[in-house]
Amino acid sequence: MKRFLICLAALLPFVSGYAQDFSVIARAEYSTAEDGHLGNSSIYFVADGNFTENFSYSTELHLLSAYPADLYTSFFTPGCMNFLDWFDLTYDFGPVQLSAGKEILTVGTFENLEYDFDVNYESASSLWFGDTESCLTAFPSVYQWGARLDFPFLDVFNISAQVTSSPFAERTFKNGYCSYNMQFTANTESEEDQYWAGVAAVNFAQRGERDFFKLASAGLKFHTGSWSFILDHFNEFASSYRGGDALSVVYEPTDNIGMTVKGGYESGMFFEADNRTYASFTFNWYPIEQLRVHAIAAYDSLYDNPLFNIGVTWTISL
């Protein structure tokens, strides 16, 4: 990681004439869903900017987590999370955009479009968790090395074609294992109080000589005034149904208060359970713009007791 930061810093004098955005995000919480009770406690570094008018970059470093040793011992194991979430270089050719580096798999749910530090364990789907030790339908990690072509059109739509290393390979690109991904997005968001957005994707991730993990997913979002409604669906192409659905209702009456009710059902995905039902209520308060205080109460059929979480997230712009 030290060499990566040095290389990034060395490039800064050459991009000083273009917009740059650097942030450190620290999340600390107490959760009853995890044995260590630290939940999604983490520290991240996020940077976005341009080298030239058409050449841009984006990166996220996961500097610290509840299990920090795991972040620094598995850099070339694609099924494991490590300190480098993504480092994406993008060149805009006009009608198309070409990106390469360590990328985020193009999955078709709004939950997977969120930053990791904005996702709560107590209300996350099994697809987001990626726990393949207990779950049949999941990616071990959505952060993979590869390349992507984006075709934006009509100012609203975008089609992405992506090839990456397979998250099921023992080592990055070992045996030529790859993941082939297609994503379609639509977003009418503007200054209007009412808009809709959609996302859909198919993924074919190789996990054997002639064996592919095949996933279809889609999400729909509608926003009006202080309300947002989000529906996510995913399913694996398997001999029997494996998948899930989740509905979120978000209410933000003011700029510093937000509430989310989320419920989901998953079927055929687990080694030790036929299905999973979960529901949660999340309250967010922003005493200042950079600081978020959250409290969560949740039910999950995989747990014996109700789940609770309280914590803070602090964003520091550099």
Side-chain angles (χ1 to χ4, degrees), residues 2 36 100 132 139 212 305 315:
K2 181 179 179 181
T132 53
F139 291 112
F212 285 83
N305 300 305
T315 300

Side-chain angles (χ1 to χ4, degrees), residues 210-256:
R210 293 183 177 86
D211 182 25
F212 285 83
F213 173 79
K214 295 168 283 189
L215 184 78
S217 51
L220 183 64
K221 178 179 180 179
F222 179 71
H223 176 86
T224 178
S226 301
W227 295 86
S228 295
F229 303 87
I230 304 168
L231 178 64
D232 280 334
H233 168 79
F234 64 90
N235 70 82
E236 182 188 355
F237 300 111
S239 57
S240 59
Y241 179 79
R242 297 175 185 166
D245 300 277
L247 174 64
S248 300
V249 179
V250 183
Y251 178 53
E252 298 174 314
T254 67
D255 290 338
N256 62 340

Side-chain angles (χ1 to χ4, degrees), residues 132-289:
T132 53
E133 292 184 2
S134 60
C135 179
L136 290 162
T137 299
F139 291 112
S141 173
V142 296
Y143 301 117
Q144 300 297 322
W145 295 93
R148 185 182 77 251
L149 274 175
D150 286 287
F151 303 87
F153 58 100
L154 299 179
D155 297 325
V156 175
F157 305 105
N158 186 75
I159 296 175
S160 296
Q162 182 188 55
V163 179
T164 70
S165 53
S166 172
F168 297 98
E170 293 180 10
R171 302 284 284 180
T172 302
F173 292 115
K174 184 177 181 179
N175 299 326
Y177 287 4
C178 292
S179 180
Y180 307 93
N181 317 294
M182 290 284 294
Q183 184 190 63
F184 171 80
T185 58
N187 194 339
T188 64
E189 185 172 358
S190 63
E191 295 181 358
E192 301 294 329
D193 273 347
Q194 185 169 299
Y195 67 87
W196 66 271
V199 57
V202 289
N203 308 90
F204 295 84
Q206 193 169 4
R207 55 188 177 187
E209 190 67 26
R210 293 183 177 86
D211 182 25
F212 285 83
F213 173 79
K214 295 168 283 189
L215 184 78
S217 51
L220 183 64
K221 178 179 180 179
F222 179 71
H223 176 86
T224 178
S226 301
W227 295 86
S228 295
F229 303 87
I230 304 168
L231 178 64
D232 280 334
H233 168 79
F234 64 90
N235 70 82
E236 182 188 355
F237 300 111
S239 57
S240 59
Y241 179 79
R242 297 175 185 166
D245 300 277
L247 174 64
S248 300
V249 179
V250 183
Y251 178 53
E252 298 174 314
T254 67
D255 290 338
N256 62 340
I257 291 178
M259 290 167 277
T260 301
V261 175
K262 181 178 181 179
Y265 178 79
E266 299 170 351
S267 178
M269 294 177 54
F270 305 95
F271 293 111
E272 298 180 358
D274 293 332
N275 53 62
R276 175 195 179 206
T277 304
Y278 61 99
S280 66
F281 173 77
T282 302
F283 180 83
N284 290 320
W285 174 49
Y286 297 83
I288 57 176
E289 184 179 359

